[in-house]
Amino acid sequence: MAKARAAVILAGLAVAVAACGNAPTTTEPGASSPASSASAGGGGKTLEGVKLEVAAKWTGDEQKNFEQVLKAFTEKTGAQVTYASTGEDTGAYLGPRIQGGSPPDVAILPQPGLVQQYAKQGALKPLTDAVTKEIDTNYTPYWKDLGSADGKVYGVLIKAAHKSLVWYRTQAFQDAGVQEPATWDDLMKAAQTIADSGTAPFSLCGASAWTLTDLFENVYLSTAGPEKYDQLSKHEIPWTDPSVGTALEKIAQIAGKQEFMVDGTSGTMQTDFPTCVSKVFGNKKGAMVIEADFVATPIAQAKAKVGEDAKAIPFPKAGDTAPVVLGGDVAVAMKDSPGAMALLEFLASKEGGEIWAKLPGYLSPNKNVSPDNYPDPLTKQLGQTIVSAGESVRYDMSDLAPSAFGGTDGKGEWKILQDFLRKPTDVKGAQAALEAEAKKAWK
């Protein structure tokens, strides 16, 4: 679930590559000025004297880097921006402030579902034409839709986490004499060769069920395509649809072979994240981990070097689509002020994205932010896959679902995928269970 793991997203990447308050009173200007005049394309410090508060979950290096972006906005516009950390539970922080009538000017939400929730409460302000224009210029329509509710645009995705990766231990590949796989069939062939060499090819995090949803989403996006992905994410097609069965059958090619998993099925179901990573790069029991960019953090903690001992490849195509699944953070306005809209316009712009991209631990969903801006080869690689995927990029499906289905330990999709890992021969039983739970959640 995004909220449970967001703190390590991409901040860990910066660590690995290197190894290789109180809310203020918000004031607004005496005379209103158009947000666009203070935006990336505007001239002059037209927001001199304006004070803004921005709330987000980031702490540590992520906070420091974001504050550099805010500093660039201040230098451009004159607005004074104060940052407040929400902690991991964004809702618990924002709820009382919304109820008390003192929300921050801008909030950065860890998943699009919160945009829908707060829009229904009337807690968000629709974006101005100037901000929407930046979104239309720099984002595919899919991302605009994710930030919208009831036909109005409320949010812009400003920071991404890349979830379509396979991390591998280079020595394990060398010992088995295998190359980086480009397709699912290549991956299965390489896995068999690695298993024959005496090493379990995959270390799955069966005790951390959110990793299983990530695996399913990548396989499903690749085999079913973006349109079906959208339909399933909204429960417009049932989980008993044949396309779901196709994806589960692919996953069963791993789960159905004891020798393919470190410590077999029993050990897999007791292995959480990040223990699954340490089993590959620490004690070297496995060859690969299928997970997002934040795997770089436990790799560094295992004293392995990203780019040398550990490398990442795009999730191999299991169908016609090269899958790129993202998590990410959505910026919204909670006060209808020129300063808030100007900041959102800046964050949505190419200029704002490029300032942030030059700092460690950041990936931009903005299609016009060139990967050349990123500070290291791995981040450039990840950024390029986002750009290359174009309109096929999709958001984490489980984080789009009601939390009872897609984000609760021991329930819904999490539990059923764990059960499927234990019994991968029962594809239709897993589909029926998923559909039964989905019907409850989407009432």
Side-chain angles (χ1 to χ4, degrees), residues 297-382:
T297 298
I299 287 176
Q301 292 169 344
K303 309 301 182 185
K305 292 184 179 180
V306 172
E308 297 179 20
D309 309 310
K311 294 184 179 180
I313 58 173
F315 193 98
K317 287 176 64 175
D320 294 334
T321 301
V324 177
V325 178
L326 301 182
D329 304 286
V330 183
V332 296
M334 292 191 154
K335 289 187 177 179
D336 191 8
S337 68
M341 292 299 168
L343 177 57
L344 289 179
E345 188 178 350
F346 181 74
L347 294 174
S349 70
K350 179 176 182 286
E351 178 187 359
E354 289 183 343
I355 290 170
W356 208 343
K358 291 179 172 65
L359 304 171
Y362 175 76
L363 278 175
S364 177
N366 185 323
K367 67 183 180 182
N368 291 321
V369 172
S370 170
D372 291 339
N373 288 284
Y374 294 117
D376 61 82
L378 178 56
T379 316
K380 287 180 181 179
Q381 173 193 340
L382 300 182

Side-chain angles (χ1 to χ4, degrees), residues 252-264:
Q253 292 176 11
I254 297 175
K257 290 190 174 184
Q258 294 293 314
E259 69 271 23
F260 271 20
M261 298 178 289
V262 174
D263 299 325

Side-chain angles (χ1 to χ4, degrees), residues 8 23-24 34 63 72 82 102 143 169 186 221 253-254 264 267 312 323 346 367 371 388:
V8 294
Q63 175 181 334
T82 301
S102 61
W143 299 116
R169 184 163 53 87
D186 291 342
L221 178 56
Q253 292 176 11
I254 297 175
F346 181 74
K367 67 183 180 182
S388 299

Side-chain angles (χ1 to χ4, degrees), residues 113-433:
L114 288 174
V115 176
Q116 305 292 324
Q117 176 183 324
Y118 291 136
K120 287 180 181 178
Q121 294 176 10
L124 304 183
K125 306 302 179 184
L127 302 183
T128 61
D129 290 343
V131 184
T132 303
K133 182 179 178 182
E134 285 294 337
I135 295 173
D136 289 338
T137 299
N138 297 311
Y139 293 81
T140 64
Y142 176 76
W143 299 116
K144 182 179 179 180
D145 291 343
L146 278 188
S148 302
D150 296 325
K152 296 179 180 179
V153 186
Y154 291 99
V156 54
L157 191 76
I158 58 171
K159 191 173 190 286
H162 199 304
K163 298 189 166 202
S164 298
L165 297 174
V166 176
W167 294 84
Y168 71 91
R169 184 163 53 87
T170 53
Q171 191 62 52
F173 270 41
Q174 290 171 7
D175 291 345
V178 298
Q179 303 299 313
E180 294 180 348
T183 68
W184 184 266
D185 288 345
D186 291 342
L187 180 65
M188 292 303 102
K189 290 176 184 176
Q192 188 62 62
T193 302
I194 293 168
D196 293 343
S197 76
T199 297
F202 299 103
S203 181
L204 301 181
C205 330
S208 297
W210 55 265
T211 65
L212 306 182
T213 69
D214 289 347
L215 173 59
F216 172 81
E217 288 154 9
N218 277 286
V219 175
Y220 189 79
L221 178 56
S222 188
T223 54
E227 184 177 347
K228 283 259 188 185
Y229 187 99
D230 292 344
Q231 292 171 345
L232 188 63
S233 69
K234 299 172 185 176
H235 199 221
E236 293 175 350
I237 58 173
W239 284 78
T240 50
D241 189 87
S243 62
V244 176
T246 297
L248 291 175
E249 287 167 1
K250 295 283 187 184
I251 295 172
Q253 292 176 11
I254 297 175
K257 290 190 174 184
Q258 294 293 314
E259 69 271 23
F260 271 20
M261 298 178 289
V262 174
D263 299 325
T265 301
S266 177
T268 291
M269 301 315 300
Q270 299 176 53
T271 302
D272 65 0
F273 183 91
T275 305
C276 55
V277 182
S278 64
K279 284 187 175 184
V280 174
F281 300 102
N283 58 27
K284 300 178 173 58
K285 294 177 72 173
M288 291 178 278
V289 172
I290 303 172
E291 245 316 315
D293 45 27
F294 49 75
V295 166
T297 298
I299 287 176
Q301 292 169 344
K303 309 301 182 185
K305 292 184 179 180
V306 172
E308 297 179 20
D309 309 310
K311 294 184 179 180
I313 58 173
F315 193 98
K317 287 176 64 175
D320 294 334
T321 301
V324 177
V325 178
L326 301 182
D329 304 286
V330 183
V332 296
M334 292 191 154
K335 289 187 177 179
D336 191 8
S337 68
M341 292 299 168
L343 177 57
L344 289 179
E345 188 178 350
F346 181 74
L347 294 174
S349 70
K350 179 176 182 286
E351 178 187 359
E354 289 183 343
I355 290 170
W356 208 343
K358 291 179 172 65
L359 304 171
Y362 175 76
L363 278 175
S364 177
N366 185 323
K367 67 183 180 182
N368 291 321
V369 172
S370 170
D372 291 339
N373 288 284
Y374 294 117
D376 61 82
L378 178 56
T379 316
K380 287 180 181 179
Q381 173 193 340
L382 300 182
Q384 186 58 57
T385 63
I386 295 174
V387 173
S388 299
E391 297 197 13
S392 295
V393 180
R394 288 298 181 267
Y395 198 90
D396 182 308
M397 187 188 296
S398 64
D399 283 343
L400 296 174
S403 61
F405 179 77
T408 302
D409 195 17
K411 295 183 179 180
E413 186 183 6
W414 286 25
K415 180 182 185 299
I416 295 165
L417 289 181
Q418 287 177 319
D419 291 343
F420 179 69
L421 216 62
R422 296 185 181 97
K423 193 178 180 182
T425 56
D426 190 12
V427 171
K428 290 194 178 298
Q431 286 185 261

Side-chain angles (χ1 to χ4, degrees), residues 53-134:
E53 183 190 11
V54 181
K57 67 180 184 292
W58 302 314
T59 59
D61 289 339
E62 280 188 298
Q63 175 181 334
K64 291 176 183 176
N65 289 339
F66 181 54
E67 285 175 335
Q68 288 193 50
V69 179
L70 296 178
K71 181 181 178 182
F73 173 74
T74 294
E75 291 173 349
K76 189 170 193 65
T77 66
Q80 298 177 37
V81 188
T82 301
Y83 177 85
S85 177
T86 66
E88 280 305 300
D89 195 336
T90 302
Y93 175 90
L94 291 176
R97 294 197 58 183
I98 293 169
Q99 292 170 10
S102 61
D105 295 85
V106 171
I108 298 172
L109 310 177
Q111 56 191 142
L114 288 174
V115 176
Q116 305 292 324
Q117 176 183 324
Y118 291 136
K120 287 180 181 178
Q121 294 176 10
L124 304 183
K125 306 302 179 184
L127 302 183
T128 61
D129 290 343
V131 184
T132 303
K133 182 179 178 182
E134 285 294 337

